[in-house]
Amino acid sequence: MFKKKREKSAEEMENMSALEEKVDALLQYCAADSEESRARYRRNLQRLVTVETPCEAMKRKDRIDRALADLGIPDHLLGYNYLQTAIEICLQNPEGLGHICAFLYPTVAQCYDTSQNLVERGIRNAIECGWSRCDLNMQKLYFGGKVDPIRGKPSNKEFITRVCHVIQSKYC
């Protein structure tokens, strides 16, 4: 009798994809030609092999929600979800902050099956709504004097970066 070829489950495929990502990161680390790129690949490799418990993931999500609520971002906006995901990605992979248009927006867009232009616009809209509603003391707590007074609100990158830094400094 012929044995039926077993279909790989979604979980097996995801595990294989994660393993391939770790192997690629290890190869990049080994082939790095400068100390700076080696350090970057080392951080990426550490991020990939660090196992996070579901409890830690929930705590991180709660911290992000708290920060967005502190800053007056209404949770009914689609940009709220985009911001939440973008901040979570940047907390796990800080290199995403350096490549917001090339890495972060496309990654968030892929999560929500939308375009990166809509992600950028949704995040910008959420920040504008929150900035006008937020308490001035809370703005100072998160941003200090780092926001351009002429523009009046932080850019998407400034906002995500500051929130990530505050979350990391408060809880890590």
Side-chain angles (χ1 to χ4, degrees):
M1 279 198 205
F2 294 102
K3 289 186 178 179
K4 245 186 178 178
K5 200 172 190 179
R6 189 173 71 104
E7 293 289 322
K8 290 186 178 180
S9 70
E11 185 179 342
E12 289 174 320
M13 294 298 287
E14 190 175 308
N15 288 341
M16 186 59 110
S17 176
L19 180 61
E20 288 173 354
E21 189 178 7
K22 291 174 186 174
V23 169
D24 286 345
L26 180 60
L27 290 172
Q28 287 175 333
Y29 172 74
C30 291
D33 56 353
S34 70
E35 195 55 41
E36 181 182 317
S37 59
R38 184 178 291 272
R40 186 168 21 107
Y41 292 132
R42 183 183 310 114
R43 286 191 304 271
N44 187 35
L45 188 56
Q46 287 171 336
R47 177 189 59 82
L48 289 171
V49 297
T50 302
V51 178
E52 181 179 65
T53 66
C55 183
E56 290 169 334
M58 283 303 295
K59 286 180 184 176
R60 185 180 59 247
K61 187 177 180 324
D62 289 343
R63 291 176 190 140
I64 294 168
D65 288 341
R66 169 66 59 121
L68 294 178
D70 286 349
L71 291 167
I73 307 292
D75 62 356
H76 67 276
L77 297 176
L78 190 56
Y80 178 92
N81 297 324
Y82 296 157
L83 260 174
Q84 193 178 47
T85 303
I87 292 168
E88 189 165 350
I89 290 169
C90 290
L91 286 172
Q92 292 175 345
N93 183 8
E95 308 235 340
L97 288 170
H99 309 287
I100 195 162
C101 290
F103 171 75
L104 190 59
Y105 292 154
T107 305
V108 174
Q110 190 175 21
C111 292
Y112 291 93
D113 195 29
T114 188
S115 73
Q116 65 186 50
N117 289 338
L118 289 177
V119 168
E120 186 274 332
R121 192 170 69 201
I123 289 174
R124 185 170 16 97
N125 180 54
I127 292 170
E128 287 173 3
C129 288
W131 200 254
S132 63
R133 298 169 50 153
C134 182
D135 177 45
L136 199 56
N137 292 329
M138 200 55 72
Q139 287 177 356
K140 286 182 181 176
L141 177 70
Y142 276 83
F143 296 93
K146 293 185 167 66
V147 177
D148 182 8
I150 295 170
R151 192 173 61 235
K153 65 173 185 66
S155 67
N156 292 2
K157 183 176 182 175
E158 289 170 332
F159 186 90
I160 294 168
T161 302
R162 288 302 305 155
V163 170
C164 286
H165 286 303
V166 169
I167 290 173
Q168 286 172 334
S169 65
K170 269 186 174 179
Y171 301 106
C172 296

